[in-house]
Amino acid sequence: MKMTLEEIARLAGVSRSTVSRVINDDPNVNDTTRERVWQVVKANDFHPNTAARALAGRRSRVIGLVIPQALNAIFADPYFPLLIQGSAAACDERGYYLMLSLVLRQADDTFRWLIRARHMDGLLVASALAEDTFLTRLLDEHFPLVLVGRSPAHADITTVDVDNVHGASMAVRHLAQMGYSRIATITGPTNMVAALDRREGYLRGLQAMGIEASAGYMQAGDWSEGSGTQAMERLLRVTPRPDAVFVASDNMAVGALKAARAAGLRVPEDIAVVGFDDIGPAATAEPPLTTVRQPIDQLGYLAASTLIEQLESAPAAETDRAAQHIVLPTELVVRASCGQALRPAANYAAMQRVPSEGGVTYSQA
Amino acid sequence: MKMTLEEIARLAGVSRSTVSRVINDDPNVNDTTRERVWQVVKANDFHPNTAARALAGRRSRVIGLVIPQALNAIFADPYFPLLIQGSAAACDERGYYLMLSLVLRQADDTFRWLIRARHMDGLLVASALAEDTFLTRLLDEHFPLVLVGRSPAHADITTVDVDNVHGASMAVRHLAQMGYSRIATITGPTNMVAALDRREGYLRGLQAMGIEASAGYMQAGDWSEGSGTQAMERLLRVTPRPDAVFVASDNMAVGALKAARAAGLRVPEDIAVVGFDDIGPAATAEPPLTTVRQPIDQLGYLAASTLIEQLESAPAAETDRAAQHIVLPTELVVRASCGQALRPAANYAAMQRVPSEGGVTYSQA
DNA sequence: ATGAAAGCGCTAACAA
DNA sequence: TTGTTAGCGCTTTCAT
């Protein structure tokens, strides 16, 4: 049986508008009336028709999460469930609904539909490439948008990111302080900003410790475990062989550990490994993985909150205000794979966890 | 710049209704007119507003894919990207859009919102539990629905499933024919229908070959690789030790192979392994995995097509017609892990692939 | 083959 | 605080 506002109004003995006010938490309603209306609403399990709502109110209370990557890459990566969880939690809290949107036929039709048909109020874009045409086109349409990560090409987007550079640099400096000097890195795909940032952090870390970088010590993977194994195999063939590796994701680090083991090397005695993420198998790896923790769920939560904030505050189409850039801190989680236990520098006792000095940073574009 | 039907109509010099007819492929439009209108539509990149469409036409052309499982379980399983790909393809073809819907706060609010608010025209439900309250409630609402898999508790839902029983039975019979006689199984979670069906197939296979089943030879996993390893470790402790294992997913089978290797056993010399799915690492496992292939993308494709069919044919709310049950065949893909190479029974030469006799089966509830 | 007109169920001024 | 009144942008009879 189909319920409408009108019907509820009739049953509660008030006007349609009053019911509308009640279900929209408008303060201008008499408490008694409000109570009575709620009663009827509950009793009939009434839910307002979204289509009508969206049409009249010009908003749908749906936001989309779009990950412009191949489906199998998305599903293989333990990063995304956490991101989704965080975003969904924020949406829940604010009465929004999160839909995962596919962009399969790369960008084209789907994209237009997504935007022009106004099926959702805004978009969370995760894991975009450094040069992402999809992103560019969304911006051209002035569609409300928050980017998870950052995009050097577009300073005017609101972004929520973790401090990749600092996190990576911390990891490398830690390795150097543990006494390693031939420090290599396994990066993510070099068309992704997060991968580039972590590589940049790696380079800065080396520099800070007065170590010279070498091209042969940088091998790229694609975030997958298998690519970590392969990159590690390549590194082990380099002369002189690295004695430590900073790996840009835990997934790849686990793969790298396998390669080291297969080559008959002990970790961390022969070669140290530090990962990035602190998810999945980091803690239970053999040996337990020292890694840079990033708060992925918080990232999702903040991204969604920020988008919603923006949607609700924006005077209509005025989306192009000063973009916010939120950066979350990373922290180094020290376990066994970095040789901490092996060479316990006296002053490291209190450093089991080294928080980034960053904290949450707000800045204007 | 906001386009509306009205605006397009003005630009094309026709009425709003004509434009509506054109974009909805109504045959009652003069070809010349149609052409002219399309021109204007394209030129302005016009996409009708979904909300308005949904409100006036009572449909949104969006269907949802719901997987009532924990997020990390979904993302860890290589099954889902394929399923999504198939469903999305079908949607694309028919002008629908597939959205992945989360059901996080188990069922309650989200569920009601999803259904009552009519945000989508229909739902694809995948990987539901044998006793799924979520499913029950959807049915109570008479919401258009197709189940990927099957639900013994609800004979009246349209379902699309693979022939799990037959596939599993094939695998077991094959092992028996290879000369193995102490055949164990690693099942999926025993609250899921697909897992139960495969176990049933295992039992029937044993029976067909005149082998007695034993409870100790059945260990449950949760589809994950790790759970496969653990289940295998348990099996290897049973006396007498099994000489073959049918594992209900490739993921778990890979885990099982690891356990066997760790125990110093050779596969298939000491113990044979057959998996289920034929995705992910099956072909590249060490040794390559004999497995039961299920056409997951087709499953998704058919599920979506069937749902759309149902939506478009259903005279309004009359969803409760006779439910269709579509069953897709599975096939045995023979590789090395089952000992085929070891004991080449003469008459197996032509059997590299044993298709299920099933074929596509349509039946009425 | 085309147009006019009546809603779909809601929100949001504006009145009262 | 509440009700009245226009729409939101589209689909869909019903005329023409």
Side-chain angles (χ1 to χ4, degrees):
Chain A
M1 140 104 153
K2 165 183 51 188
M3 271 294 155
T4 68
L5 259 197
E6 195 78 48
E7 185 71 1
I8 298 292
R10 204 178 54 67
L11 293 173
V14 295
S15 81
R16 204 178 357 155
S17 338
T18 300
V19 181
S20 175
R21 289 188 185 102
V22 170
I23 64 175
N24 288 300
D25 284 323
D26 186 315
N28 291 335
V29 180
N30 181 301
D31 282 349
T32 328
T33 315
R34 180 192 307 282
E35 185 55 36
R36 183 154 36 94
V37 172
W38 265 127
Q39 219 85 86
V40 182
V41 167
K42 292 281 184 215
N44 296 76
D45 192 25
F46 169 71
H47 288 245
N49 178 309
T50 6
R53 251 185 151 172
L55 182 56
R58 284 163 276 297
R59 67 221 192 88
S60 60
R61 294 197 150 260
V62 173
I63 72 183
L65 170 59
V66 61
I67 306 173
Q69 297 284 306
L71 219 46
N72 45 353
I74 297 174
F75 274 75
D77 197 330
Y79 173 91
F80 292 110
L82 284 168
L83 187 72
I84 294 171
Q85 212 128 43
S87 321
C91 288
D92 251 30
E93 272 180 22
R94 321 253 331 216
Y96 279 70
Y97 187 75
L98 184 73
M99 288 242 177
L100 310 188
S101 309
L102 306 173
V103 183
L104 292 181
R105 303 187 292 181
Q106 199 46 2
D108 249 54
D109 285 10
T110 305
F111 152 81
R112 304 203 104 80
W113 186 84
L114 236 47
I115 303 322
R116 311 290 300 219
R118 299 257 131 193
H119 201 275
M120 347 196 242
D121 296 345
L123 230 39
L124 249 34
V125 180
S127 183
L129 304 179
E131 312 268 324
D132 204 309
T133 61
F134 177 68
L135 203 54
T136 312
R137 301 175 67 186
L138 286 174
L139 287 172
D140 287 349
E141 302 275 350
H142 300 276
F143 197 77
L145 188 76
V146 166
L147 184 63
V148 179
R150 61 186 203 93
S151 176
H154 306 282
D156 49 330
I157 317 180
T158 289
T159 61
V160 184
D161 200 3
V162 298
D163 194 347
N164 286 306
V165 175
H166 184 259
S169 148
M170 253 191 312
V172 170
R173 290 187 334 250
H174 181 73
L175 283 168
Q177 282 161 341
M178 288 296 95
Y180 298 100
S181 60
R182 299 191 306 282
I183 306 174
T185 188
I186 297 176
T187 74
T190 47
N191 59 351
M192 297 188 64
V193 180
L196 296 176
D197 282 351
R198 287 173 204 173
R199 187 177 66 183
E200 175 64 21
Y202 160 79
L203 292 172
R204 288 202 202 167
L206 288 184
Q207 189 172 33
M209 302 306 281
I211 302 176
E212 192 123 352
S214 110
Y217 274 12
M218 302 196 286
Q219 296 290 338
D222 63 6
W223 304 129
S224 75
E225 185 181 319
S227 76
T229 303
Q230 290 161 23
M232 186 62 145
E233 286 165 354
R234 291 197 297 276
L235 284 177
L236 294 180
R237 274 186 243 112
V238 177
T239 320
R241 200 181 67 203
D243 60 2
V245 186
F246 163 63
V247 190
S249 84
D250 285 352
N251 236 11
M252 293 196 295
V254 167
L257 289 177
K258 285 188 183 157
R261 198 176 311 126
L265 298 175
R266 292 162 308 161
V267 177
E269 290 83 352
D270 301 317
I271 189 162
V273 173
V274 174
F276 201 109
D277 281 344
D278 196 27
I279 46 175
T284 56
E286 197 32 51
L289 198 62
T290 291
T291 192
V292 180
R293 172 182 299 169
Q294 58 167 334
I296 302 173
D297 51 342
Q298 283 180 48
L299 197 65
Y301 186 92
L302 264 176
S305 312
T306 307
L307 177 58
I308 293 172
E309 207 77 50
Q310 182 173 307
L311 290 173
E312 306 211 315
S313 75
E318 199 197 310
T319 315
D320 312 279
R321 299 117 21 125
Q324 259 183 99
H325 297 285
I326 302 181
V327 179
L328 298 179
T330 49
E331 73 179 306
L332 186 66
V333 179
V334 177
R335 300 204 180 88
S337 68
C338 63
Q340 174 84 302
L342 235 56
R343 324 177 193 198
N347 55 349
Y348 262 88
M351 264 188 79
Q352 279 302 101
R353 284 186 175 190
V354 185
S356 131
E357 63 265 357
V360 181
T361 311
Y362 293 84
S363 68
Q364 298 294 316
Chain B
M1 141 106 156
K2 165 183 51 189
M3 270 295 156
T4 68
L5 258 197
E6 193 76 67
E7 185 70 1
I8 298 291
R10 204 179 54 68
L11 293 172
V14 296
S15 81
R16 205 179 0 168
S17 332
T18 302
V19 180
S20 176
R21 289 190 185 102
V22 170
I23 64 175
N24 287 299
D25 285 323
D26 186 314
N28 290 337
V29 179
N30 182 303
D31 282 349
T32 328
T33 315
R34 180 193 307 283
E35 184 56 35
R36 184 155 35 92
V37 171
W38 265 126
Q39 219 86 87
V40 181
V41 166
K42 293 282 185 214
N44 295 76
D45 194 24
F46 169 71
H47 288 246
N49 178 306
T50 341
R53 241 183 163 176
L55 182 55
R58 287 163 273 301
R59 67 222 189 87
S60 59
R61 293 196 150 261
V62 173
I63 72 182
L65 171 59
V66 179
I67 307 173
Q69 296 284 305
L71 220 46
N72 46 351
I74 297 174
F75 274 75
D77 197 331
Y79 173 92
F80 293 109
L82 284 168
L83 187 71
I84 294 171
Q85 212 128 43
S87 322
C91 288
D92 251 30
E93 273 180 22
R94 320 256 327 220
Y96 278 70
Y97 188 74
L98 183 74
M99 289 245 175
L100 309 188
S101 308
L102 306 173
V103 182
L104 292 181
R105 305 188 291 183
Q106 199 46 6
D108 250 54
D109 285 11
T110 304
F111 151 80
R112 301 201 105 77
W113 187 84
L114 235 49
I115 302 324
R116 311 290 299 226
R118 302 252 125 197
H119 205 102
M120 340 195 250
D121 296 345
L123 230 40
L124 249 33
V125 181
S127 183
L129 304 179
E131 312 268 325
D132 204 310
T133 60
F134 177 68
L135 204 55
T136 312
R137 301 176 65 188
L138 285 174
L139 287 171
D140 288 349
E141 302 276 348
H142 301 278
F143 196 77
L145 187 76
V146 165
L147 184 63
V148 179
R150 61 185 204 92
S151 176
H154 307 283
D156 48 332
I157 316 180
T158 289
T159 62
V160 184
D161 199 4
V162 298
D163 194 345
N164 285 306
V165 175
H166 185 259
S169 145
M170 253 190 313
V172 169
R173 289 188 332 251
H174 181 73
L175 284 168
Q177 282 161 339
M178 289 297 95
Y180 299 99
S181 60
R182 299 190 306 281
I183 305 174
T185 188
I186 297 176
T187 73
T190 48
N191 59 351
M192 297 188 63
V193 179
L196 297 175
D197 282 351
R198 288 173 202 172
R199 186 176 68 185
E200 174 65 20
Y202 160 80
L203 293 171
R204 288 203 203 165
L206 288 185
Q207 190 172 31
M209 303 305 281
I211 301 176
E212 192 123 350
S214 110
Y217 274 12
M218 301 197 286
Q219 296 291 338
D222 63 6
W223 304 127
S224 76
E225 184 180 320
S227 74
T229 304
Q230 290 160 23
M232 186 62 145
E233 286 165 354
R234 291 197 298 275
L235 285 176
L236 294 180
R237 276 186 242 113
V238 177
T239 321
R241 199 181 68 203
D243 60 2
V245 185
F246 163 63
V247 189
S249 84
D250 285 350
N251 237 10
M252 294 195 294
V254 167
L257 288 177
K258 286 189 183 158
R261 199 175 312 128
L265 298 175
R266 293 162 307 162
V267 176
E269 290 82 351
D270 301 318
I271 188 164
V273 173
V274 174
F276 202 108
D277 280 344
D278 196 27
I279 46 174
T284 58
E286 195 33 51
L289 197 63
T290 291
T291 190
V292 180
R293 170 181 299 168
Q294 57 167 335
I296 302 172
D297 51 342
Q298 282 181 50
L299 196 64
Y301 185 92
L302 264 176
S305 312
T306 307
L307 176 58
I308 293 172
E309 207 77 52
Q310 183 173 305
L311 290 173
E312 306 210 316
S313 76
E318 198 196 308
T319 315
D320 312 278
R321 300 116 21 127
Q324 259 183 97
H325 297 285
I326 302 180
V327 179
L328 297 178
T330 49
E331 72 180 307
L332 186 66
V333 179
V334 177
R335 299 203 181 89
S337 68
C338 62
Q340 174 83 302
L342 235 58
R343 324 180 193 198
N347 55 351
Y348 261 88
M351 263 188 81
Q352 278 302 99
R353 287 185 174 189
V354 186
S356 128
E357 63 264 355
V360 181
T361 312
Y362 293 83
S363 68
Q364 298 293 318

